Amino acid sequence: MSRALPLRRSLLVRMLITSVLIALCSVAATAWLAVQTTTRAIQEEQGQVLAEDMDILRQLSGYAATHPDWSGVAGTLRALSHRTGRRIALTAGDRTPLADSAARGTSLPPRAAATVDPLRTDTYTEPGAQLTGVDPRAVGPYRLTRNERLTVAKLAVVRGLCFARAGVRTRTEETPSGRTVLRGVDGTLDPGFVPAECADGRLNTPTPTEQKALDVLSALSRTCLDRHGAHLGHSLALPLEAVDATTPLPYLTGKRPADRDGALARTANACVAEARRTQLDPYVAPVAELFLGTGDRPVPRFDMSAANKAKVFGVAGLVLALTVAVTALVATRLVRPLRALTQAARQPPERHVRVPVTTQDETGILALAFNELTERRERMEAQRKAMVSDIAHELRTPLTNIRGWLEVARDGLVEPDRELLSSLHEEAVVLQRVIDDLQDLAAADAGTLRLRREEVRADELLDQVAAAHRVGAEAAGVRLLTGTDAGPRLDADPVRMRQALGNLVSNAIRHTPAGGTVTLRAHREEDEAVFTVADTGTGIAPADLAHVFDRFWRAEKSRSRRTGGSGLGLAIVRQLAAAHGGTVTVTSEPGTGSAFTLRLPAARTPAGPAPGPATTES
């Protein structure tokens, strides 16, 4: 009787719920990723725009520092506009146009982006500009002549070689004025350690051009100091590197401003800076206002308006609908064969229903496995019925004989003499043997077969089995041979092993004609102890090899007891081998004989001195 499956346990419902959850998570993750990616793109765009703004300001400040006016800036401005895609315009302080990348008459942005003044800048357009407020490219009268540049460069090379001989690493660098200076490997002006032999002062001696400009700067600074009432008892001297605005100013001969009164030092610094701007003013372009626009570049936007939100929710709903539809279709195709399997499994055992295989996926494989299981169940049912019949047959014969002779003796028809009692005893022994074999098989099937393991020597085990069957072999006219190679050992139950080998030997003797041979051998192969029982008997037909270990199976279909045995011996051998973790196999050729091979795990304990290969005949 079928039971109704709760809806919440239905595979179809669970797959639908799972697909909806996956779709929701994927939509949410996609939306989050889109927001994060767009935000990051906007931030990167803004950073790129800021970097471009700084680069435009740097290049225009450099132009102003090296030109006395803006008359030729149009070409530079157009090149910058073409490279960045931005509109660039320069105007005077009163918004008078100086240069513009846009068409004439185009209105300017509402406010200027920056002021271009190379003499008053605090940007990071060039190293050193933020220290003095003067673009270091504004050198004016300090620019060296060609001969002076070559002379100073040679002096720098000579001094660098001197430093190298003293173990000090330096590099040369040309400043905007054309002077070559020596810098340490970390970029600082001159290394911190100056060897005595290198401190000749020649490299730092001003050239005539520089000395002339320094004299003018000193005079302008003196005028400023006199105007502020500051009286310095020393003449003003400036280091050559101050020309390129790489160090703070000023330096006083003998003492630095830090050693004097603070107010005096600030006044001196202010006067030198004012004098320097006054000196450089004729050489640089006038102050200009810089206007920047977007040009033809689209402005980045991220608008989550109501329309955009509706689009997002619409796409999400469409994804959910498609997911549910596809999942329902796929789940239905998956559930249909599963329901067929369930219906087939609920049929009575006598109805061996097979499920049609309609797919090649896991469900199809499951259907194939179910059909194979059905076939195995049919075979097991047939074997069970045959086994019941065989057990009844094996028990009926001795019981019938015992009952018949007892009834005859009870009725006084025969005397219970010694011969009759011996016959009844033989029948009882046969009956007991069948019951014992069935008990062993039942214990093996239930997993309750007890093994008392100990280390067993293969040669001793073969000798014991041969001794137990020597009389029967001699009575049948069969030679019984034993042999071992290097005496393998195994961890096994000696009683059960004698039982397994004994069943194989008795079976071989029973199927070997007089004058034949039964050979027992044992040897070691890697981690296995291998036992072989071979005979020169009638052999087994190829079609019967697959059934020799079946219970109650006999090659003689008449099941005649003339050949002896109950048909359980080889089945017991297979169960005992499996209980010891081994296997048993058979090879045979009709008319030549059969060979049964028993493989068991060898003992791991090191074996003592073992006898060499030996063969014994019985």
Side-chain angles (χ1 to χ4, degrees), residues 548-571:
V548 294
F549 295 106
D550 292 347
R551 300 174 185 183
F552 295 105
W553 181 87
R554 287 180 180 171
E556 297 83 0
K557 305 306 178 183
S558 62
R559 302 191 58 83
S560 172
R561 191 169 291 281
R562 180 177 57 83
T563 58
S566 61
L568 297 175
L570 295 181

Side-chain angles (χ1 to χ4, degrees), residues 142 213-238 250-255 260 264 267-276 278-279:
Y142 295 92
L214 287 174
D215 291 342
V216 174
L217 179 62
S218 180
L220 293 173
S221 300
R222 173 68 61 183
T223 301
C224 175
L225 290 172
D226 292 341
R227 187 171 62 252
H228 287 83
H231 302 283
L232 299 179
H234 301 78
S235 63
L236 183 65
L238 299 171
Y251 284 88
L252 298 178
T253 304
K255 294 184 179 181
R260 308 292 296 271
L264 181 61
T267 301
N269 278 317
C271 285
V272 171
E274 179 183 347
R276 188 176 181 202
T278 302
Q279 184 184 27

Side-chain angles (χ1 to χ4, degrees), residues 503-562:
N503 288 352
L504 294 177
V505 172
S506 62
N507 185 74
I509 293 174
R510 195 160 45 245
H511 292 86
T512 302
T517 303
V518 175
T519 305
L520 286 77
R521 290 193 178 277
H523 66 280
R524 184 180 182 118
E525 290 185 5
E526 297 181 353
D527 294 335
E528 292 182 332
V530 182
F531 296 88
T532 304
V533 178
D535 62 64
T536 58
T538 57
I540 305 172
D544 294 333
L545 285 176
H547 304 287
V548 294
F549 295 106
D550 292 347
R551 300 174 185 183
F552 295 105
W553 181 87
R554 287 180 180 171
E556 297 83 0
K557 305 306 178 183
S558 62
R559 302 191 58 83
S560 172
R561 191 169 291 281
R562 180 177 57 83

Side-chain angles (χ1 to χ4, degrees), residues 126-139 173-177 179 181-183 187-190 238-249 251 276:
E126 288 293 323
Q130 68 274 18
L131 298 178
T132 63
V134 177
D135 193 309
R137 292 168 290 188
V139 294
E173 180 179 317
E174 185 174 320
T175 62
S177 66
R179 166 173 283 276
V181 297
L182 209 60
R183 297 189 183 276
T188 57
L189 185 63
D190 276 353
L238 299 171
L240 293 178
E241 57 266 24
V243 174
D244 297 307
T246 56
T247 55
L249 294 176
Y251 284 88
R276 188 176 181 202

